[in-house]
Amino acid sequence: MIKMPCSSNMSVGKNEESKKWPQFLATCAANVAIFTMGLHTGWPGPSLPKILSDEFPYDVSNEAGSYITIIGNLGTIFGGLIGSLLLDRIGRRRTMLLIALPQFISFFLIVMSYYVFELLYVARVIGGLGEGMCLSIIPLYVAEIADASIRGVLSTMISLTVICGILFVNIVGSYVAINIAALSFLVFPIIFFIAFWKMPESPYFLLMKNKPEQAEHILKFLRRKSNVDEELNALEKDVKRQMSESGNFRDIFTVDTNRTALILAIGTRLVQQLTGISAFSLYIQILLSEATQVLSPQIGSSIVLFVQLIMMSLSTLFVDKWGRKPLLLASAGACFINLFIQAIYFVFKEYTNVDVSVIDWFPLVMMIIFIIVFSLGLGVVVTTVSSEVFSASIKSKAICLVNVAFALSMMGTTKFYQVTADEFGLTVPYFSFALTTFLGVLFIYFWLPETKGKTLEEIQQRLKKNKKKTEATIKI
């Protein structure tokens, strides 16, 4: 077990300064699973061109390739359900440790798919199970262990780590055979299991299970303070109030604050996906090969992902200073403008006789700009919002529903891109994503409240106040 700070001098008490590094340590250990999830998410980018080529031992059509790309989202749905069922029963920590199993099996089956092709579909579904469990548990765990002053930074580290995984698999997968790359990825679930084994349970969960002494023990480690009575008492009150609700699925839809929180979490996640980001990520090498000849798809996709990594790193500096809503609003607005301009470019390229070869570099540059503006807000803040807005009593169930919406939107936008791009060219998907992103700007502006610097309980009270204001406006 991890040693807690000595509490021999109880007079140190309330003026003792809280330390942040244990919270970063626990988050980094959890993020090894997130990195592996990024490997799964980004795997189709470099792998799909190889699967469709002679390099793969089986003949695979474009249609079959598209299902290899999106079938993992079925696993994401069930993984989110499994995670939500377990995390309130066996705890956040134990449930998170289970993530290593599907992640390991998934890459092992990819190796074996060179001998039995159908195992590739099974591997993607099982990898989706791990992804769904990651999305349903790890953001929640990080939000519950984090101090309000750094919760935004720690939450954005999750999105940043996903991109690290996607970039890593794009580089390795572009130059190494699919089975060899998958074999090397088997080490990461093992590293996660070892690294997270000694990490603490969430104090929220311990208080939900009426274990205040253990919760105090964990808080002392996370804050590196000998006296956490004030925070512990506040957490006990918050958890008791939130747990006074029955916490069944029906409450998500019948309790006003829960319903509002669900709309906000699903709404922001849909805004993120309806920019087309998942389709662009999964088809990035094929997209760049069709749109421009300036650089090879391997180098071009790596540049795009590296830029995304840098911008998401920078965004961690702003999320707790500028706030969630301003970043999301600016990001979505800039994405809309970018997509609309790219759509106009493809109109000239695909439906007119105008020679656009002189600006063949344009799609790559615009994609990099799109990734920059997406990463500064939509790429990192959406996960933060989802982890903050739900009451403890329904959090696990509500996040399960959010992940279902997330998986379905990923499947829908990716398949929509593949079908429309094959049938009509890139103009139709780009115009469509521009329109849905504009609608997302309106949603963020009129619906989303600011949660910067607030405790999880303060956010619940803010949602109640917003509901009362809405009802008062309706009466007037």
Side-chain angles (χ1 to χ4, degrees):
M1 290 296 294
I2 297 172
K3 288 186 177 181
M4 304 297 137
C6 179
S7 57
S8 58
N9 186 3
M10 296 305 294
S11 63
V12 175
K14 298 178 181 178
N15 294 326
E16 189 178 5
E17 186 177 353
S18 174
K19 302 295 191 300
K20 305 295 191 296
W21 69 261
Q23 300 165 57
F24 280 94
L25 177 64
T27 301
C28 288
N31 276 347
V32 180
I34 293 293
F35 179 86
T36 311
M37 186 190 87
L39 298 178
H40 166 81
T41 301
W43 180 86
S47 301
L48 190 58
K50 294 184 177 183
I51 291 172
L52 298 177
S53 71
D54 295 334
E55 183 176 336
F56 197 64
Y58 301 95
D59 291 329
V60 182
S61 66
N62 287 337
E63 185 72 9
S66 73
Y67 287 111
I68 292 172
T69 300
I70 67 174
I71 197 171
N73 292 304
L74 294 176
T76 302
I77 294 173
F78 291 106
L81 179 61
I82 292 170
S84 66
L85 291 175
L86 292 177
L87 63 87
D88 282 344
R89 288 173 170 78
I90 66 174
R92 279 64 162 147
R93 176 182 168 274
R94 290 178 179 174
T95 307
M96 287 169 66
L97 287 170
L98 293 176
I99 293 172
L101 184 61
Q103 289 186 333
F104 184 90
I105 293 174
S106 173
F107 286 117
F108 178 75
L109 291 179
I110 289 177
V111 175
M112 300 307 295
S113 69
Y114 269 56
Y115 306 99
V116 182
F117 171 71
E118 288 73 19
L119 289 178
L120 195 56
Y121 292 104
V122 180
R124 294 295 293 165
V125 172
I126 293 178
L129 284 175
E131 180 177 12
M133 293 178 71
C134 281
L135 292 171
S136 65
I137 305 165
I138 295 180
L140 181 149
Y141 173 80
V142 171
E144 290 183 347
I145 67 170
D147 185 87
S149 63
I150 61 168
R151 190 175 62 241
V153 172
L154 294 182
S155 295
T156 56
M157 286 176 62
I158 296 174
S159 300
L160 179 64
T161 307
V162 174
I163 300 304
C164 288
I166 295 174
L167 176 60
F168 187 80
V169 73
N170 189 76
I171 294 173
V172 174
S174 294
Y175 301 102
V176 178
I178 292 173
N179 57 339
I180 301 301
L183 189 64
S184 67
F185 297 154
L186 290 174
V187 69
F188 293 107
I190 298 173
I191 293 174
F192 163 68
F193 190 85
I194 295 172
F196 197 73
W197 181 261
K198 290 290 186 179
M199 291 300 108
E201 179 56 87
S202 160
Y204 258 80
F205 172 75
L206 294 172
L207 291 174
M208 289 166 61
K209 297 301 181 182
N210 295 315
K211 298 179 179 179
E213 292 183 358
Q214 293 184 35
E216 180 182 10
H217 191 63
I218 295 302
L219 277 176
K220 286 181 178 179
F221 166 71
L222 291 171
R223 307 297 186 255
R224 300 306 290 176
K225 294 175 65 175
S226 60
N227 190 325
V228 292
D229 290 346
E230 185 176 346
E231 182 177 4
L232 181 64
N233 291 334
L235 283 179
E236 282 189 284
K237 291 178 182 178
D238 296 347
V239 171
K240 284 180 180 178
R241 188 203 65 78
Q242 294 176 29
M243 293 303 294
S244 64
E245 303 168 1
S246 61
N248 54 46
F249 271 105
R250 184 171 177 271
D251 287 342
I252 299 175
F253 303 99
T254 58
V255 177
D256 289 338
T257 52
N258 293 341
R259 187 169 61 248
T260 300
L262 184 67
I263 292 172
L264 293 175
I266 290 181
T268 51
R269 185 61 80 178
L270 289 178
V271 172
Q272 179 196 63
Q273 290 303 305
L274 290 174
T275 61
I277 185 63
S278 289
F280 299 150
S281 297
L282 295 174
Y283 281 91
I284 186 167
Q285 291 199 11
I286 294 176
L287 187 157
L288 291 176
S289 67
E290 293 176 352
T292 180
Q293 302 299 320
V294 175
L295 293 173
S296 69
Q298 293 85 356
I299 296 176
S301 60
S302 296
I303 290 174
V304 169
L305 290 169
F306 184 73
V307 169
Q308 187 172 7
L309 178 62
I310 296 299
M311 298 314 300
M312 286 182 124
S313 300
L314 292 176
S315 70
T316 62
L317 303 175
F318 308 135
V319 68
D320 279 325
K321 293 182 180 180
W322 294 355
R324 282 60 157 157
K325 185 170 183 174
L327 284 175
L328 283 174
L329 199 57
S331 178
C335 284
F336 159 69
I337 295 172
N338 182 284
L339 290 167
F340 187 76
I341 293 173
Q342 288 194 72
I344 293 175
Y345 168 84
F346 286 119
V347 167
F348 284 107
K349 181 177 182 178
E350 298 174 340
Y351 291 96
T352 71
N353 294 323
V354 176
D355 183 13
V356 295
S357 60
V358 292
I359 54 170
D360 191 49
W361 47 265
F362 187 78
L364 178 60
V365 172
M366 290 301 291
M367 179 57 68
I368 291 174
I369 295 174
F370 172 83
I371 289 299
I372 290 174
V373 296
F374 176 87
S375 301
L376 287 175
L378 289 169
V380 294
V381 182
V382 170
T383 300
T384 303
V385 171
S386 297
S387 66
E388 291 178 331
V389 295
F390 293 113
S391 169
S393 63
I394 54 93
K395 186 177 292 186
S396 61
K397 299 177 180 64
I399 288 180
C400 173
L401 296 179
V402 174
N403 288 335
V404 169
F406 176 44
L408 292 175
S409 62
M410 284 184 67
M411 291 176 65
T413 54
T414 303
K415 189 62 180 176
F416 174 81
Y417 171 84
Q418 180 258 321
V419 171
T420 54
D422 287 350
E423 293 292 329
F424 308 107
L426 295 174
T427 301
V428 173
Y430 271 86
F431 265 127
S432 300
F433 290 141
L435 174 61
T436 52
T437 302
F438 176 74
L439 296 177
V441 173
L442 299 180
F443 173 83
I444 294 168
Y445 182 80
F446 289 108
W447 275 83
L448 188 69
E450 182 56 72
T451 59
K452 180 188 72 170
K454 294 180 173 60
T455 66
L456 299 181
E457 175 62 16
E458 287 172 342
I459 293 171
Q460 290 300 304
Q461 297 302 323
R462 173 68 183 274
L463 292 177
K464 285 187 176 182
K465 289 180 181 179
N466 285 352
K467 182 64 182 177
K468 290 179 180 178
K469 287 180 181 179
T470 302
E471 291 175 348
T473 303
I474 292 173
K475 290 180 180 179
I476 291 173

